[in-house]
Amino acid sequence: MSRPESKNVFYFPHYVKSNRELELIEYKHGSEGYKSYYKLLEMVADADYHRLSLKTQDDKDMFELGMKCEKKVVDDVIRILLNRGRIDKESWENEEIIW
């Protein structure tokens, strides 16, 4: 019997040196921004095909529950990552999907 196809990942590297986006996020929001950035990575990594949908109110509520971060910080982290091309803008604007 073969192993089923994986739709998500169970691990991603946490590099010692941060990237420019994370530096900006941490500068603006401190440890809450840092936490938001990595919680977002964890949720995207665990989403099927790395497509995290926020289309319905239930999706949004479950997202907020999973993030456990201040909403204004999370919203700004998403904005920064969109502007820097780290989140697909078309998927976000058309489908409310973080990919």
Side-chain angles (χ1 to χ4, degrees):
M1 179 178 274
S2 65
R3 186 172 149 229
E5 178 185 338
S6 179
K7 299 175 188 169
N8 51 28
V9 297
F10 299 103
Y11 167 82
F12 62 85
H14 183 136
Y15 296 106
V16 174
K17 184 175 171 149
S18 65
N19 58 48
R20 302 287 290 162
E21 294 83 16
L22 182 54
E23 288 175 3
L24 175 60
I25 289 165
E26 198 170 8
Y27 171 76
K28 290 183 73 178
H29 301 291
S31 61
E32 185 75 5
Y34 186 88
K35 174 184 168 185
S36 297
Y37 176 84
Y38 277 101
K39 290 296 282 184
L40 183 58
L41 285 180
E42 289 171 0
M43 292 184 76
V44 170
D46 192 41
D48 288 348
Y49 303 105
H50 314 300
R51 295 173 57 84
L52 184 60
S53 175
L54 301 179
K55 199 168 211 163
T56 69
Q57 188 59 49
D58 286 343
D59 291 339
K60 291 173 185 169
D61 291 343
M62 291 175 60
F63 175 73
E64 287 185 29
L65 180 68
M67 288 296 289
K68 299 179 184 102
C69 299
E70 293 181 38
K71 185 176 179 350
K72 67 178 185 168
V73 174
V74 174
D75 290 345
D76 197 45
V77 167
I78 291 171
R79 182 195 63 77
I80 290 168
L81 296 174
L82 279 165
N83 288 341
R84 301 283 297 167
R86 300 280 297 209
I87 293 176
D88 184 70
K89 199 171 213 157
E90 187 176 328
S91 294
W92 177 252
E93 291 174 352
N94 297 333
E95 304 174 66
E96 293 184 77
I97 288 176
I98 297 175
W99 179 72

